[in-house]
Amino acid sequence: MERLLDIFLSYSGDDRERAEQLYAALTKAGLKVFMDKRDIHHGHSITRDIETGLRTSKTLLAYYSNSFAHRSACQFELHHAYLSALRANEVERRILVINPDDPATGHLGPLHARAHRYWNTWTSDRELAELVAQVKVAVDLVGTPFPGLSFADPVTPRENAATVPTATFVGRYGDRWRLHSALHRGEEPLVEVTSGPPIAAVSGMTGIGKTALVRSYARDFGFLYPGGVYWISLAGASDVDLRYWYTAELAALDESIVDRSRSGVLAWWRQHLDLPSLWVIDDVPSGLAEGALAELVLPASNVHTILVARQEFPPGFADQVRVRGLVPEDGRELFTAYQKHSEEEALAVDELVAKLGGHPYAILLAADGSRGREGLWELRDRVADLTSDAAVLDVALLAVRRSIEGIPGPQRLILALAAICASTPLPARFVDRVLAALAPGVATHTLLAELDKAHLVERVGAAWQVHNLVRTAARQDAEPSTLLSTAVVAAHELLQLADGTTGLVEHAVALLDHVVGSAYVEPLNVLAAAHYESHGEPVLAAPLHENLADLRPDTPRHLVRAAQARRAAGHLAEATAHLDRLDALDLDPPTRLLVTSLRATVLDDLGAHRDAEVRWREVLAGPLHALTDVEQVEIRTAHLRNVRLLGHLRRARDLARELVRAAVPFEVLVPAHLELAWLEADIGDREAARSTARRIVDHYRDRGMPEHQHAVDAATLLHAAHLKIFILQPIPGAEQRAAAEAELRDQFAITRHRHGPDNPKTLALAVTHMEAMVGVGKWPEVLDRYRDLPDLLSRRLGPTHRLCLRSRHLIGLAHNGLGYYATGGAIFAEAYEAQLAAMGPTHPFTLESHYELGLVKWHGGDGSGAREIFHAVKAGADQEIGRANDVYGKALTAIPLSFLPGGFLRWFRS
């Protein structure tokens, strides 16, 4: 027999810390509480455990933050609990709400959550105790669990054509709450002031899921309408024959209607609608006057009406429910239901959903277009095609093209502008200036308002988003000459606004495809390249610098910048090709020095550190004084990296400490600070490393650039440092290390999606994440996920690259962790010999592999050989790394323990 629980605690992951506090206080008060983190058991179905938790609970307590409102999992729980309570007329008793965002209530749904009393969050232990006491009083009033709650079965047993939901319907909990509130707002007059009949006006662009939403609502809430759920479609009707069409549809719903005149049909229905009923009028023609719309609403007190149309209804006629695209979670769920994808493709699916504006039908078409790709191409490589190719989206695009056929000329100019610009929102000032030039005298705000009512644009702050399907359809529909003339004007106006308007750079890049050969090409490239460089996005900056190099072949510095951007993006082959071109040119000494330093940097990226060292000596002997202060700092930082990678850590630390004191802006010194932080992590000060990394992360966050490449590198270091152990600092706890591993896993996924699986930046982060997995004891997962990584690194970067050798070392650790000592020993022996030749005996990686070889010897019974190795590791660490670190500490401890039998190894390693 299942135990009866008092509370099902529902909360967003963003509020986990507060939820943990609440859970502890509730259980301390003697309440039996279900909390997913604690009550979902390993190996069990999460959905089944959640359903059991809800079905056996008396109440649901929602920590209803703004984050909760936008999490599909949270809304899923609330949805089923609410429907169960609503059927029993016990919503107020069973659905309990804490609103941490009080006095804001707009995020609360359903209507009950705003209409009935909720609790504020607590700011002290005393307030938390008072809150728990009040919750306990409310819970004690309920004696049974949620009645008839089931995820598998519909809440209402009645079924007809109107209550069978579309198979492609997912999520949309916010829309469901808005629709329900619109129909029942009169039941809560203190919250929702209304004097009209219960009418909900559902509108949205073609194919966005309006009908599916209403069908789902009718199925779930059908029990509220014992008089029936009726569905009428006006598809094909015009405003001329609307009354006749609607009357015929009403008459066709019941064969017993004798008088089929309009008055006779309406009289018959008034007489028979004695119980609450739900009437859905779908496919309402656009542009109907309010009087014509009113004739679609049956004049009976028990009738609740839903009108569904492509265009927004007149204001004040009914509660508007604007249906927009699916939220990312729901879009991902829809794609996955029709086309499975690998874990590595999850971010590509999210990008695809975003580019399609969450349009359900388009998502399904893209999912279908991605079938059969396995072994041929990755989803991330075809996102652009799947979200814009007419061959993939033909059916959806055809419907959208039909919806924009009658758009007036000035409004079509806005759509043409969107068609040639990027998919990001168009700043309102930009739209206004382009329209003023192309259609003088028009009122921009009026045109945008009309497009908004037609669901072709949507306001985003001070900008307007045009749905990607609308952009693509408009591009197909417009004359090439119109697009060209619009692009020229847009380029001119964009450059005039560039200094004072945000959100223009993406549009500048998009316009380059339409203004080829014009005077606007160079300034657009300059504008965009400078922006992406300052925002740490070398992948986007590189092609713009290459454009400038082609435009200005007499200015080799453009080609230098292109090579620098390609190298920073991990595109080493392209960077080398640019350097080869530069070597063939007659360069002035400062530019030649930059080229040589960049060549040395690329050699370091490729793992050829000793070859790079030769180049660095040449650079440091050159005319550095001829370069700017910023260029000198950049060169010295790159040289510092070479010293660190060669394993000369103490020397590198001295160089770094001197360099970060240079009299240049902090932004220029960030790479040097990052180098110092890695040195601090390797030599003996985890906390200093994390402090430096945190400062960099905060610096870019405060500037609104959390995705800056330096910020990402700093965040990686921030988490990786948790895995470093130093004798004089507290050892990170298991939770800290597990959190660090999870953060690195997420960052690896993002980097892989952004740069590709074979990019050196991705491969470096894979090794860092691999090390994190070893650090938390995920040895089987390491072998399962990264067994082939050393071979990939060998092919991509070479068999002696430090990352390749490090990955082999980590594979060895995973084998040892699982007790496969013979296999691990062979891997360590191979890795150690290669590291010794490539990086020297005192490099941290070499010392760690050497130490593991000592453990293998000890485990094999060769205590004397093991001690010899441990002494060598101890001396090497003392020489180059210092004593306050894991390597030195383990070697020091292992020396006396090596006199014990080899079997003691199992205890020692644990």
Side-chain angles (χ1 to χ4, degrees):
M1 181 176 178
E2 295 172 325
R3 65 170 184 151
L4 180 63
L5 300 173
D6 294 306
I7 294 172
F8 182 100
L9 181 57
S10 187
Y11 64 96
S12 163
D14 294 342
D15 304 313
R16 182 173 296 280
E17 184 178 347
R18 299 288 281 180
E20 291 275 8
Q21 295 175 23
L22 181 59
Y23 174 88
L26 292 168
T27 54
K28 184 179 179 180
L31 292 165
K32 295 184 286 292
V33 184
F34 179 95
M35 185 177 185
D36 59 357
K37 182 181 179 182
R38 300 173 180 274
D39 295 297
I40 293 179
H41 305 292
H42 179 70
H44 284 210
S45 164
I46 294 177
T47 301
R48 187 169 65 247
D49 282 351
I50 290 289
E51 180 178 359
T52 300
L54 266 175
R55 184 166 41 78
T56 56
S57 295
K58 297 193 295 183
T59 62
L60 177 139
L61 176 58
Y63 191 83
Y64 214 131
S65 64
N66 191 57
S67 175
F68 183 99
H70 294 92
R71 288 294 303 275
S72 289
C74 300
Q75 294 294 311
F76 175 84
E77 296 164 359
L78 176 61
H79 175 76
H80 284 279
Y82 178 79
L83 289 176
S84 171
L86 187 62
R87 290 190 71 193
N89 196 27
E90 296 179 338
V91 171
E92 188 172 358
R93 298 174 64 205
R94 292 187 181 272
I95 307 298
L96 311 177
V97 173
I98 299 172
N99 178 16
D101 295 316
D102 179 77
T105 60
H107 61 291
L108 300 180
L111 177 61
H112 155 83
R114 297 196 303 276
H116 298 291
R117 183 177 181 274
Y118 56 75
W119 291 290
N120 295 332
T121 192
W122 62 93
T123 59
S124 67
D125 291 343
R126 180 183 59 79
E127 289 183 1
L128 177 57
E130 291 175 354
L131 169 62
V132 168
Q134 293 172 29
V135 170
K136 191 174 189 305
V137 169
V139 170
D140 288 343
L141 296 175
V142 184
T144 59
F146 279 101
L149 190 146
S150 171
F151 292 172
D153 299 323
V155 173
T156 175
R158 59 186 297 124
E159 278 196 20
N160 57 39
T163 60
V164 178
T166 307
T168 58
F169 184 80
V170 296
R172 291 204 181 279
Y173 294 104
D175 290 333
R176 299 191 216 191
W177 298 140
R178 281 187 284 275
L179 179 53
H180 183 56
S181 297
L183 291 170
H184 294 272
R185 64 195 188 282
E187 298 168 14
E188 302 291 350
L190 295 180
V191 177
E192 297 285 335
V193 178
T194 181
S195 58
I199 307 172
V202 177
S203 62
M205 70 178 295
T206 301
I208 204 67
K210 304 181 293 295
T211 298
L213 168 67
V214 176
R215 286 191 182 278
S216 178
Y217 174 81
R219 179 178 176 85
D220 286 346
F221 290 85
F223 63 88
L224 293 174
Y225 309 103
V229 178
Y230 303 91
W231 197 286
I232 291 176
S233 172
L234 298 180
S238 67
D239 53 356
V240 176
D241 59 2
L242 185 64
R243 297 186 73 194
Y244 170 79
W245 192 295
Y246 179 55
T247 302
E249 291 291 321
L250 282 175
L253 290 174
D254 197 298
E255 295 180 355
S256 64
I257 300 177
V258 178
D259 182 357
R260 302 221 158 198
S261 66
R262 178 171 178 79
S263 59
V265 170
L266 292 178
W268 190 94
W269 277 112
R270 275 197 301 270
Q271 181 181 352
H272 287 80
L273 290 176
D274 53 344
L275 294 173
S277 60
L278 178 65
W279 287 75
V280 181
I281 317 300
D282 200 1
D283 303 306
V284 176
S286 298
L288 292 182
E290 191 167 328
L293 290 171
E295 291 189 348
L296 301 178
V297 179
L298 286 177
S301 59
N302 284 325
V303 170
H304 295 71
T305 306
I306 301 176
L307 301 176
V308 185
R310 194 179 66 224
Q311 187 153 341
E312 187 178 293
F313 291 84
F317 174 72
D319 266 15
Q320 304 281 354
V321 180
R322 287 176 61 103
V323 181
R324 298 179 172 88
L326 296 173
V327 298
E329 278 185 89
D330 295 341
R332 189 187 316 128
E333 180 184 346
L334 179 60
F335 183 97
T336 305
Y338 284 82
Q339 179 57 37
K340 301 299 180 186
H341 57 85
S342 65
E343 180 185 347
E344 289 77 13
E345 291 183 319
L347 288 174
V349 173
D350 290 348
E351 182 182 354
L352 182 147
V353 168
K355 283 184 175 296
L356 290 174
H359 194 283
Y361 193 33
I363 292 170
L364 290 175
L365 292 172
D368 188 61
S370 71
R371 295 178 64 179
R373 72 188 181 283
E374 292 78 7
L376 299 175
W377 46 271
E378 284 200 40
L379 198 57
R380 62 175 293 276
D381 297 324
R382 299 288 179 89
V383 169
D385 294 334
L386 292 172
T387 56
S388 62
D389 190 346
V392 175
L393 305 174
D394 53 353
V395 182
L397 286 172
L398 177 61
V400 174
R401 287 183 67 181
R402 287 174 177 167
S403 72
I404 64 176
E405 283 177 354
I407 296 295
Q411 292 180 27
R412 296 185 77 84
L413 284 176
I414 296 179
L415 299 186
L417 177 63
I420 57 174
C421 286
S423 60
T424 53
L426 293 164
R429 292 181 62 202
F430 177 45
V431 175
D432 188 46
R433 289 189 62 129
V434 172
L435 282 180
L438 292 173
V442 301
T444 303
H445 74 279
T446 301
L447 300 182
L448 289 169
E450 291 302 316
L451 289 172
D452 185 32
K453 292 175 183 176
H455 291 274
L456 298 175
V457 303
E458 184 176 323
R459 187 175 64 83
V460 182
W464 291 86
Q465 178 69 63
V466 181
H467 197 282
N468 197 49
L469 285 183
V470 177
R471 292 178 58 249
T472 306
R475 192 179 306 119
Q476 294 175 343
D477 197 48
E479 292 291 334
S481 58
T482 300
L483 295 180
L484 177 60
S485 60
T486 304
V488 171
V489 172
H492 177 81
E493 299 301 335
L494 185 148
L495 290 169
Q496 301 302 308
L497 287 170
D499 291 338
T501 304
T502 59
L504 289 173
V505 172
E506 292 83 357
H507 302 302
V509 175
L511 287 171
L512 287 171
D513 292 333
H514 302 279
V515 293
V516 178
S518 75
Y520 298 111
V521 173
E522 185 171 357
L524 288 174
N525 272 290
V526 170
L527 169 70
H531 172 86
Y532 289 132
E533 273 198 339
S534 67
H535 283 69
E537 298 181 271
V539 172
L540 300 176
L544 300 165
H545 285 304
E546 288 162 349
N547 291 343
L548 290 169
D550 291 338
L551 287 169
R552 297 288 185 182
D554 56 334
T555 309
R557 284 296 182 102
H558 287 312
L559 194 55
V560 172
R561 301 294 286 276
Q564 290 171 332
R566 287 295 180 189
R567 180 262 145 192
H571 304 160
L572 303 184
E574 293 87 341
T576 300
H578 291 331
L579 292 174
D580 291 342
R581 282 180 59 191
L582 286 161
D583 281 343
L585 300 177
D586 183 19
L587 305 176
D588 59 66
T591 305
R592 177 63 64 189
L593 198 61
L594 290 174
V595 171
T596 305
S597 67
L598 187 53
R599 179 81 72 176
T601 305
V602 171
L603 287 172
D604 274 326
D605 292 334
L606 293 169
H609 307 310
R610 299 195 191 283
D611 292 339
E613 186 180 23
V614 175
R615 297 272 186 170
W616 282 119
R617 282 198 290 268
E618 179 184 343
V619 170
L620 296 177
L624 285 175
H625 64 276
L627 301 174
T628 66
D629 290 345
V630 170
E631 289 170 336
Q632 291 183 52
V633 168
E634 290 172 344
I635 285 178
R636 292 190 184 278
T637 303
H639 169 248
L640 158 64
R641 176 168 170 265
N642 171 259
V643 176
R644 176 174 68 86
L645 295 175
L646 282 168
H648 307 316
L649 303 191
R650 294 195 173 188
R651 180 184 165 212
R653 182 177 58 183
D654 292 340
L655 290 173
R657 287 175 173 172
E658 178 185 356
L659 188 55
V660 296
R661 293 195 293 266
V664 293
F666 177 74
E667 178 71 26
V668 179
L669 293 174
V670 165
H673 279 284
L674 279 169
E675 285 294 323
L676 179 58
W678 279 113
L679 287 162
E680 289 165 338
D682 286 336
I683 289 177
D685 196 342
R686 177 183 64 250
E687 295 309 317
R690 284 179 57 79
S691 176
T692 300
R694 172 58 64 190
R695 180 186 177 192
I696 295 170
V697 169
D698 291 345
H699 169 74
Y700 288 106
R701 182 203 60 206
D702 294 343
R703 295 179 61 197
M705 302 180 190
E707 299 302 318
H708 193 289
Q709 181 171 287
H710 294 333
V712 172
D713 292 341
T716 300
L717 171 57
L718 192 62
H719 304 305
H722 262 318
L723 306 167
K724 303 287 185 179
I725 297 176
F726 304 116
I727 295 172
L728 301 180
Q729 294 179 358
I731 296 176
E735 287 192 6
Q736 284 181 307
R737 287 183 283 119
E741 186 273 325
E743 292 285 355
L744 288 169
R745 181 174 65 245
D746 291 345
Q747 190 56 61
F748 168 69
I750 293 170
T751 303
R752 187 185 188 281
H753 175 66
R754 183 176 297 167
H755 295 287
D758 296 338
N759 189 287
K761 300 180 76 63
T762 305
L763 297 174
L765 197 49
V767 175
T768 303
H769 177 235
M770 190 181 182
E771 189 159 4
M773 295 178 74
V774 169
V776 297
K778 291 187 174 182
W779 303 308
E781 293 90 336
V782 169
L783 297 181
D784 181 58
R785 181 167 189 162
Y786 288 124
R787 187 188 301 272
D788 297 329
L789 181 60
D791 291 337
L792 174 59
L793 286 162
S794 179
R795 292 193 303 271
R796 183 71 177 86
L797 300 175
T800 61
H801 194 283
R802 71 187 189 286
L803 292 177
C804 179
L805 300 178
R806 184 60 172 175
S807 68
R808 295 195 189 282
H809 169 90
L810 295 169
I811 291 289
L813 284 179
H815 279 96
N816 271 14
L818 293 169
Y820 308 145
Y821 299 112
T823 304
I827 294 173
F828 288 130
E830 179 186 352
Y832 172 67
E833 292 300 327
Q835 288 169 334
L836 192 64
M839 296 181 287
T842 59
H843 192 285
F845 290 0
T846 309
L847 292 172
E848 289 184 29
S849 293
H850 202 193
Y851 170 79
E852 293 296 332
L853 277 177
L855 291 181
V856 171
K857 283 186 175 291
W858 182 23
H859 178 73
D862 185 3
S864 175
R867 280 192 297 280
E868 182 179 349
I869 290 177
F870 295 148
H871 276 292
V873 171
K874 173 175 167 287
D878 190 20
Q879 173 187 335
E880 197 58 69
I881 308 176
R883 299 184 177 187
N885 57 76
D886 189 30
V887 178
Y888 182 90
K890 287 194 298 187
L892 180 67
T893 306
I895 291 171
L897 291 176
S898 64
F899 287 97
L900 297 172
F904 189 72
L905 171 67
R906 290 183 182 275
W907 176 87
F908 176 70
R909 291 191 66 87
S910 64

